Amino acid sequence: MKKLLFYVLLIPIFLIANIGISKAAEEAKAPALQPVPEISKEDFAKATGIYFNRCGGCHGTLRKGATGKSLMPDKTLTKTVAKLAGIIYDGTEGGMPGWGTTGVLSKEESELLAKFIQHEPVAPPEWNMKDMKATWKLIVPPDKRPTAPAHKRNIENFFAVILRDAGQIGIIDGDTKEIVTVVNSGFAVHTLRYSYSGRYLYTIGRDAKATMVDLWMNPPQTVAEVKTGIEARSIDSSKYKGFYDKYAVVGNYWPPSYVILDGQTLEPLKIVSTRGYTYDTNEYHPELRVASIVASHHAPEWVLNIKEAGITLLVDYSKLSEGTITETRIDAERFLHDGGWDKTKRYFLVAANMRDKVVVIDTKDRKRVAVVETGVKPHPGRGANFNDPKNGPVYATPHLGEPMVALIGTAPEGKYKGNAWKVVRKLKTAGEGGLFIKTHPRSNNLWVDHTLAKSEDAYRSVSIFNIKDLDAPPKIIKLADRGRIVHMEYNKAGDEVWIALWDKKGEIIVFDDNTLKEKTRITDSRLVTPTGKFNVYNTRYDIY
Ligand code: DHE
């Protein structure tokens, strides 16, 4: 009995001792934290600006991590300023660009940023209806706009080109290749869409400034603008019958929300917060950002992808005028980014890039139908749809993390139903760092860029696959000896491909899609850092 008592008393002593040892071992394992470096007020403000412009998109405004890693001080203080500055300057194997080696940041700026991310993140201010209304400008009211196109140009073959660093949009006549006009937009303008009628162009800047251009005016002119938040990346319009050109919607990064605007005036009508809980761990997250948005053609709805939550929202706007918005919340996968329709426009395929997956949302039956593992960091842009001769209808996505395009079967009924939502083929491209892919229903070619590849040869070329012979390697064409090559777009006829040379002295390279020969280069001092380009007809009808 005495012996038993001895052992019973020994247990807690043993446990306490053990906890002490494991705690000490843990402490020994945990890397020592660096002291928080000093930064002057001015430098802190400067670093905040650089972080916003170059880093926040991937790492999050609150630095909790998304496409990029968490940059909270518990992580960053485990490294020295010199080590962090080196990573910022040189980039990483994981796909982060070398901001110094690509000529964007100096050594001093990389070091400043390194110190900045060792401080606690500061949340940007909120942005309420009052703030939005104060920035809303109705420059040309609807009754002062033309009642018919005031010029004879072919609007359906216009291309609106993003001039990123100029914060402008170039509007180019696709028939004559003339720059019709250049209009101001938001800071580091990110993307754009058209109203369903094709008359209005809606743009969104990184600073969440939305603008609206009337393509009927001669020359096209900005008719309204509004700042819907502090930071944003996506915009679209209402594309369902009865609601053409009625609403626009902006997906904000900060404050995490979407904002519904009047489609004729950009007057802000409704702000809906997206803050809340992640779909899987059900943890509260203060920065659930809106990534890609598409407008359904089959229902009065937008498909909005809430990045950090891993939730796809179907937002029904049909009763907005009665004060009702209906949200269907679909669990998808964490870190949703970009995506597009399958060719029937029933299924929306969206990349959860940090999970190496593409999620398939059925917008008719209103559910997730598949989560497809494709490869390292899929980045479809809006993707590409075509018929693989062997496997039937497919949706294609390039990858940031490997030189590969994955083809996913998209026909759950009929001859190819066994292929639905499976990777049926992988095509090897000339480089990793793939951002965009494009084809056209009238084309036999599939164009892929490798904009963020490490090798110069790769980021200055495109890979072109013959859709009729997908077993053959791609034709690789080097297009430049400076800058990077990014984003392809077809003309309305589907026989020309427009590609951007992304550089301070930018160019638009126009290819004959049949001969794969360069047709012309559009050069002009106003073409500063062109990135995305959007043909009115193809964008309006989601042809890709
Ligand atoms: Fe984009 C689309 C976000 C970096 C050019 N980009 C998108 C979309 C999102 C997004 C959510 C989808 C919009 C939609 O379909 O509704 N992009 C982000 C980022 O968060 C990220 C990774 C980092 C950042 O800080 O912005 C980022 N994007 C870039 C670039 O570096 C690019 C190449 C140049 C730039 O503007 O900085 C770039 N993104 C584009 C383009 C599109 C786009 C051209 C539209 C493609 C299309 O065909 O629809």
Side-chain angles (χ1 to χ4, degrees):
M1 187 63 196
K2 260 189 191 165
K3 213 172 174 185
L4 184 69
L5 198 67
F6 172 78
Y7 283 116
V8 168
L9 284 173
L10 212 60
I11 291 171
I13 295 167
F14 173 77
L15 281 177
I16 289 163
N18 234 354
I19 289 166
I21 290 165
S22 60
K23 213 174 158 202
E26 233 169 60
E27 272 166 15
K29 254 195 285 162
L33 295 186
Q34 302 288 317
V36 180
E38 292 207 353
I39 314 185
S40 71
K41 242 185 175 175
E42 295 73 43
D43 278 352
F44 198 88
K46 184 178 172 198
T48 305
I50 300 174
Y51 184 86
F52 168 74
N53 194 10
R54 302 291 171 189
C55 321
C58 288
H59 297 278
T61 301
L62 299 182
R63 308 211 310 257
K64 285 178 177 299
T67 304
K69 288 187 176 163
S70 160
L71 297 178
M72 295 298 277
D74 66 325
K75 303 275 186 309
T76 53
L77 286 172
T78 61
K79 295 189 170 66
T80 61
V81 169
K83 172 88 185 158
L84 287 172
I87 295 173
I88 294 166
Y89 195 88
D90 295 323
T92 64
E93 286 302 314
M96 183 176 119
W99 295 107
T101 49
T102 52
V104 176
L105 298 181
S106 64
K107 285 233 151 88
E108 291 70 36
E109 286 168 328
S110 303
E111 191 175 308
L112 172 61
L113 212 48
K115 290 181 183 166
F116 171 79
I117 59 175
Q118 289 186 319
H119 283 249
E120 282 296 329
V122 181
E126 295 300 316
W127 195 258
N128 298 308
M129 186 56 89
K130 201 169 132 228
D131 307 301
M132 271 179 226
K133 286 269 168 98
T135 65
W136 174 48
K137 285 189 201 141
L138 183 55
I139 301 158
V140 185
D143 61 354
K144 297 275 181 306
R145 297 175 199 160
T147 50
H151 57 81
K152 296 242 159 356
R153 291 182 188 271
N154 177 9
I155 294 178
E156 292 206 321
N157 200 30
F158 273 7
F159 285 71
V161 180
I162 291 172
L163 305 173
R164 186 198 186 276
D165 291 2
Q168 293 181 318
I169 306 289
I171 295 170
I172 304 184
D173 183 328
D175 293 349
T176 64
K177 318 288 186 281
E178 285 166 278
I179 299 180
V180 180
T181 189
V182 172
V183 290
N184 289 332
S185 179
F187 173 76
V189 53
H190 206 87
T191 190
L192 58 88
R193 297 287 184 260
Y194 298 98
S195 67
Y196 187 78
S197 72
R199 172 177 182 170
Y200 294 114
L201 160 65
Y202 301 108
T203 80
I204 190 72
R206 179 174 291 250
D207 59 354
K209 181 169 159 188
T211 67
M212 175 180 175
V213 179
D214 183 356
L215 298 177
W216 281 11
M217 293 171 90
N218 190 16
Q221 207 179 303
T222 305
V223 291
E225 62 178 56
V226 65
K227 195 162 143 53
T228 61
I230 306 287
E231 192 178 354
R233 294 291 186 282
S234 49
I235 191 161
D236 212 336
S237 63
S238 47
K239 289 192 175 170
Y240 186 63
K241 213 166 140 201
F243 294 89
Y244 297 158
D245 300 18
K246 191 167 169 59
Y247 299 122
V249 61
V250 172
N252 278 337
Y253 265 18
W254 190 271
S257 57
Y258 59 93
V259 181
I260 302 176
L261 308 169
D262 184 302
Q264 294 287 319
T265 64
L266 293 192
E267 180 182 2
L269 303 175
K270 184 89 196 150
I271 310 171
V272 185
S273 170
T274 51
R275 284 188 174 106
Y277 293 82
T278 55
Y279 95 94
D280 48 357
T281 55
N282 288 278
E283 275 167 281
Y284 179 76
H285 196 303
E287 193 183 356
L288 298 181
R289 302 179 288 176
V290 180
S292 47
I293 302 180
V294 289
S296 172
H297 298 248
H298 297 310
E301 276 182 343
W302 291 300
V303 182
L304 278 96
N305 295 286
I306 315 302
K307 188 188 278 287
E308 287 79 3
I311 291 173
T312 298
L313 295 182
L314 306 181
V315 177
D316 182 333
Y317 51 72
S318 61
K319 298 207 167 59
L320 181 66
S321 58
E322 296 156 36
T324 304
I325 293 171
T326 316
E327 277 185 357
T328 302
R329 298 172 69 84
I330 302 175
D331 288 353
E333 182 52 284
R334 296 285 288 277
F335 310 116
L336 299 175
H337 192 69
D338 49 352
W341 294 109
D342 79 309
K343 80 166 191 196
T344 68
K345 299 186 180 66
R346 169 175 174 171
Y347 300 98
F348 180 70
L349 291 94
V350 55
N353 55 15
M354 290 313 279
R355 293 282 159 95
D356 300 338
K357 293 187 175 111
V358 167
V359 183
V360 186
I361 303 289
D362 178 349
T363 61
K364 190 166 170 222
D365 286 349
R366 324 181 63 67
K367 59 177 188 180
R368 181 189 68 199
V369 287
V371 181
V372 189
E373 181 124 16
T374 62
V376 186
K377 296 191 198 162
H379 191 287
R382 281 171 289 160
N385 288 291
F386 58 94
N387 276 321
D388 172 343
K390 225 184 268 171
N391 299 298
V394 290
Y395 175 90
T397 177
H399 291 77
L400 276 166
E402 57 180 311
M404 186 270 285
V405 167
L407 308 189
I408 302 168
T410 55
E413 274 158 30
K415 187 174 167 195
Y416 297 103
K417 67 178 179 198
N419 288 341
W421 321 133
K422 289 184 189 139
V423 174
V424 293
R425 213 193 262 269
K426 290 188 173 182
L427 306 173
K428 191 165 172 10
T429 67
E432 77 294 350
L435 288 183
F436 301 109
I437 188 162
K438 199 68 63 142
T439 187
H440 186 279
R442 293 206 193 106
S443 170
N444 284 331
N445 295 319
L446 178 68
W447 296 70
V448 192
D449 64 22
H450 343 95
T451 313
L452 299 184
K454 281 256 177 273
S455 112
E456 211 173 278
D457 274 349
Y459 64 69
R460 291 183 175 157
S461 40
V462 278
S463 295
I464 309 155
F465 293 91
N466 177 354
I467 288 170
K468 299 279 178 236
D469 182 14
L470 289 165
D471 293 329
K475 181 169 176 155
I476 297 156
I477 306 183
K478 191 164 176 203
L479 297 172
D481 51 17
R482 61 188 168 89
R484 284 175 192 258
I485 293 301
V486 70
H487 197 264
M488 291 73 50
E489 175 71 319
Y490 275 83
N491 62 344
K492 183 186 172 198
D495 57 10
E496 267 175 15
V497 178
W498 290 37
I499 307 171
L501 165 52
W502 182 10
D503 192 39
K504 285 259 171 288
K505 223 173 119 219
E507 293 177 1
I508 303 295
I509 307 164
V510 181
F511 261 84
D512 181 320
D513 186 59
N514 295 314
T515 60
L516 299 188
K517 294 259 171 335
E518 193 176 313
K519 247 178 144 170
T520 185
R521 279 189 189 221
I522 308 173
T523 54
D524 190 291
S525 59
R526 291 170 292 174
L527 291 181
V528 179
T529 56
T531 56
K533 59 215 83 57
F534 303 81
N535 174 269
V536 171
Y537 187 84
N538 295 337
T539 309
R540 180 180 161 198
Y541 294 116
D542 291 296
I543 296 169
Y544 40 77

